[in-house]
Amino acid sequence: LGRALTTRAAWGPPLKRISRQQLAQPYLQDEVVKIVRDAPRQLTPELRRAAVSIVASGLGAGLDGRWNYKISCDDIDGLGPVSVSVPDPAKRIVVVRKQFEADLLQLASNGDGALIGPHRISKNTSSELAARIVIARGSIRLTASRLRSNWLLAHLEARTPPNVLIKAAGLKTF
């Protein structure tokens, strides 16, 4: 605001704007362990379902808040490698990392409608639910974008071919 009023004052350098295209910082490995441990330990069945869905779709299929609330139980395919049919934006099929296959299959078989559960569905559903999920007694803030970053990191460490990863991530370029 100050820069808009005057250019004569000794303002510090402008803050660096963060592009929507930049990745969120991934969780540390010990944080991931706590997140996976605590997701199914939420207080209510609805919150447990939401927590496991956000975690498994984020770490297992790289889905963040743009997509995870749009996934229905019917979008999980257990024939062959477990996969998720992701709607627009960036419609695609993503093969789920083995560690998270069972969670997604169980959620899909025990529900109907949205995989995340019977909540009011909007573009803010994921972040609103994540804000209510308690991880490590509240010391770790759960965000789907950071889970997606961990998914990308796991694929880079596994040397997934870049063209395959770009397509699975719903990106145009890396």
Side-chain angles (χ1 to χ4, degrees):
L1 180 62
R3 284 182 192 79
L5 297 175
T6 180
T7 56
R8 297 179 137 186
W11 303 110
L15 296 175
K16 181 181 174 190
R17 291 184 183 251
I18 297 176
S19 164
R20 181 158 170 78
Q21 299 300 317
Q22 289 182 324
L23 293 175
Q25 178 180 354
Y27 290 104
L28 299 173
Q29 189 55 42
D30 68 312
E31 292 174 315
V32 171
V33 168
K34 291 173 185 173
I35 289 167
V36 170
R37 177 198 68 202
D38 289 354
R41 295 180 176 178
Q42 301 305 301
L43 293 177
T44 67
E46 293 81 14
L47 209 49
R48 281 192 292 275
R49 181 178 184 88
V52 172
S53 175
I54 290 169
V55 171
S57 64
L59 293 174
L63 304 182
D64 61 16
R66 292 171 288 179
W67 295 291
N68 63 11
Y69 75 96
K70 294 180 180 181
I71 302 300
S72 75
C73 293
D74 293 335
D75 291 329
I76 307 299
D77 184 358
L79 300 175
V82 176
S83 63
V84 180
S85 180
V86 182
D88 285 328
K91 188 175 182 173
R92 63 201 183 277
I93 294 176
V94 180
V95 175
V96 176
R97 291 176 55 213
K98 289 239 180 267
Q99 179 184 354
F100 302 97
E101 288 179 340
D103 287 338
L104 289 175
L105 287 172
Q106 182 177 15
L107 288 169
S109 67
N110 293 334
D112 56 0
L115 189 71
I116 206 165
H119 304 279
R120 179 184 61 82
I121 303 296
S122 74
K123 66 178 184 172
N124 298 321
T125 298
S126 180
S127 59
E128 289 169 358
L129 287 168
R132 295 176 42 210
I133 295 167
V134 178
I135 304 293
R137 297 185 178 154
S139 66
I140 299 172
R141 184 173 166 255
L142 187 66
T143 67
S145 59
R146 289 187 71 186
L147 296 171
R148 175 178 166 82
S149 292
N150 281 90
W151 174 82
L152 287 166
L153 182 60
H155 277 285
L156 291 171
E157 289 172 344
R159 300 191 187 280
T160 301
N163 61 326
V164 173
L165 182 55
I166 288 168
K167 186 175 179 182
L171 301 172
K172 293 178 183 151
T173 185
F174 215 35

